[in-house]
Amino acid sequence: MPAAVGLRPDWDAKRVRAAAREAENADQARRLLAIAAAYEGQDRSAAAKIGAMNPQRLRDWVRRFNEAGPEGLIDRKPAGAARRLSAEQETELAALIEAGPEFERDGVVRWRCVDLRELILTRWNIAYHERTIGKLLRRLGFRHLSARPRHLGQDPARIEAFKKTSPSAWARLRRSDPKTPVEIWFQDEMRLGQKNPRTRRWARRGTRPRARTDLRTKSAYLFGAICPKRGIGAAVIMPSANTQAMQHHLDEIACTLAPKAHALVVLDQAGWHTTGKLRIPDNLSLLPLPPKSPELNPVENVWQFLRQTRLSNRVFDGYEAIVTAACQAWNSLIADPARITSIGTRQWAIISRD
């Protein structure tokens, strides 16, 4: 039988029990109570039973308590294998991934794990398994995401200028009548129909999942607008996108505002948005987005969410079925105000109290 391990003299049962009461880690508190029983003179078997362990395990915890006090009774995470890339190399790799490959130089149009494995081997002479590359990328904060299209003629400087100057538009509305509440709305429209997109889906590795495809051309347009701050929206479904459809939508938005409120409607520069034939309701003002910058409009993200969760991978029998599906999808969104706020909130479009 091994010799008993002594307890450190600068602690006693009362102090150990006090530490157990303050411990946030349940396993640490249980081990402290076992050690407190040992301080009180109970035999090893009885003290170990209090901590739900065997006497030999209690002996090990006593050693760690003697070395580090209560902190030594917290489970330590294993150190794991040493990182093969240095911090500087990981930073350089992350920058290369964010910049993306150049086809003329790298021979690929997007980074895959196998490409990055070869890149690391060539640049730093360190060989990784392809699966390990995926773990490394996740640790560096990367995820395998679908890219959002960006217009070739987009002007980044103009987008940044819009974010900085657009608050002045609703600031002017507030100054014109400080008693009138001002709401920020975002508007857009989405075509949906029988030629329906297919989304990614979970499937067994090595298989190719199938989805039904319809080549017919019946379609409708869902005109939608959201107010992220209030978590509400307004929509109409029309057979085509034109000035008349836009007029109906503006009238619908105007009826959805809070009492006596005025809305600044942010929208793109489609022809039926900017035509002089529109009769803008008195409680609305329009703020056009810069050209070729749909990512500034969070309703684009609403469309993406509705397609991925409610509308894609389906076959519609006709126009009425399309309208029904659009209504159901939009109503499901309206029933979840927190999601509207989550998807639609943009820091540059928040009205300050000043």
Side-chain angles (χ1 to χ4, degrees):
M1 183 174 180
V5 177
L7 294 163
R8 53 190 294 176
D10 56 331
W11 283 75
D12 55 26
K14 183 178 179 181
R15 186 179 174 191
V16 173
R17 289 188 181 279
R21 287 192 297 270
E22 296 175 359
E24 296 181 359
N25 184 286
D27 291 333
Q28 179 194 29
R30 176 169 51 81
R31 293 156 188 162
L32 285 168
L33 291 175
I35 292 175
Y39 269 110
E40 293 170 346
Q42 298 188 37
D43 61 73
R44 285 196 299 172
S45 297
K49 189 174 181 180
I50 293 174
M53 65 186 80
N54 59 47
Q56 181 57 45
R57 192 61 178 150
L58 174 60
R59 178 188 178 91
D60 297 337
W61 287 118
V62 168
R63 289 183 183 276
R64 288 177 57 171
F65 176 78
N66 288 340
E67 294 173 1
E71 296 300 320
L73 303 182
I74 299 177
D75 290 315
R76 302 167 184 164
K77 292 184 179 179
R83 295 182 179 179
R84 303 173 65 186
L85 288 176
S86 66
E88 293 76 13
Q89 290 170 336
E90 288 186 353
T91 301
E92 184 178 351
L93 176 63
L96 288 171
I97 296 171
E98 288 186 309
E102 294 181 10
F103 182 76
E104 292 76 10
R105 180 192 65 195
D106 304 302
V108 294
V109 296
R110 66 181 179 94
W111 290 127
R112 301 171 298 167
C113 289
V114 64
D115 303 320
L116 293 173
R117 181 187 64 185
E118 296 302 321
L119 174 68
I120 294 172
L121 181 61
T122 302
R123 187 175 289 256
W124 296 297
N125 196 29
I126 297 176
Y128 278 104
H129 192 280
E130 188 176 334
R131 287 195 298 269
T132 308
I133 295 294
K135 296 178 182 178
L136 173 62
L137 295 179
R138 286 189 289 273
R139 182 167 60 77
L140 294 177
F142 292 96
R143 295 296 184 270
H144 195 239
L145 305 175
S146 298
R148 178 180 176 81
R150 176 187 173 190
H151 199 286
L152 184 63
Q154 187 179 96
D155 185 354
R158 192 167 183 177
I159 291 177
E160 292 304 314
F162 177 84
K163 291 180 180 180
K164 293 179 181 178
T165 59
S166 57
S168 62
W170 46 82
R172 287 193 298 271
L173 288 176
R174 297 194 66 184
R175 287 194 296 268
S176 62
D177 189 356
K179 296 181 180 180
T180 300
V182 177
E183 298 178 1
I184 306 301
W185 285 68
F186 296 93
Q187 188 278 340
D188 197 29
E189 53 276 334
M190 169 182 67
R191 179 188 175 277
L192 64 152
Q194 292 174 322
K195 283 190 175 182
N196 215 352
R198 298 178 295 277
T199 60
R200 295 182 180 182
R201 58 178 62 188
W202 290 106
R204 293 284 185 183
R205 180 176 293 180
T207 66
R208 183 64 178 254
R210 294 177 178 270
R212 294 183 299 170
T213 301
D214 195 342
L215 299 181
R216 293 174 295 177
T217 58
K218 292 289 186 181
S219 64
Y221 284 84
L222 173 58
F223 283 67
I226 60 171
C227 176
K229 183 176 181 180
R230 293 176 58 200
I232 64 170
V236 295
I237 301 171
M238 306 298 292
S240 58
N242 52 31
T243 302
Q244 183 181 8
M246 186 62 186
Q247 186 65 62
H248 284 301
H249 193 208
L250 290 178
D251 295 339
E252 181 67 21
I253 297 173
C255 295
T256 313
L257 301 188
K260 300 182 179 180
H262 190 96
L264 189 67
V265 182
V266 182
L267 70 179
D268 61 37
Q269 299 188 38
W272 52 86
H273 295 170
T274 58
T275 176
K277 297 180 180 180
L278 285 175
R279 301 184 307 278
I280 310 300
D282 293 337
N283 57 349
L284 300 183
S285 296
L286 306 186
L287 179 63
L289 288 166
K292 307 169 185 176
S293 54
E295 60 269 28
L296 287 177
N297 193 340
V299 183
E300 295 281 354
N301 302 110
V302 170
W303 301 149
Q304 182 182 29
F305 171 75
L306 293 182
R307 287 189 187 278
Q308 292 179 348
T309 58
R310 296 278 180 173
L311 297 171
S312 296
N313 303 323
R314 297 175 62 181
V315 173
F316 304 117
D317 291 334
Y319 180 78
E320 294 300 328
I322 296 171
V323 171
T324 299
C327 290
Q328 292 173 345
W330 183 261
N331 289 336
S332 70
L333 177 72
I334 295 302
D336 191 357
R339 189 174 298 279
I340 295 176
T341 301
S342 175
I343 295 177
T345 299
R346 299 292 185 270
Q347 291 300 317
W348 57 266
I350 295 178
I351 302 177
S352 66
R353 297 181 179 180
D354 300 332

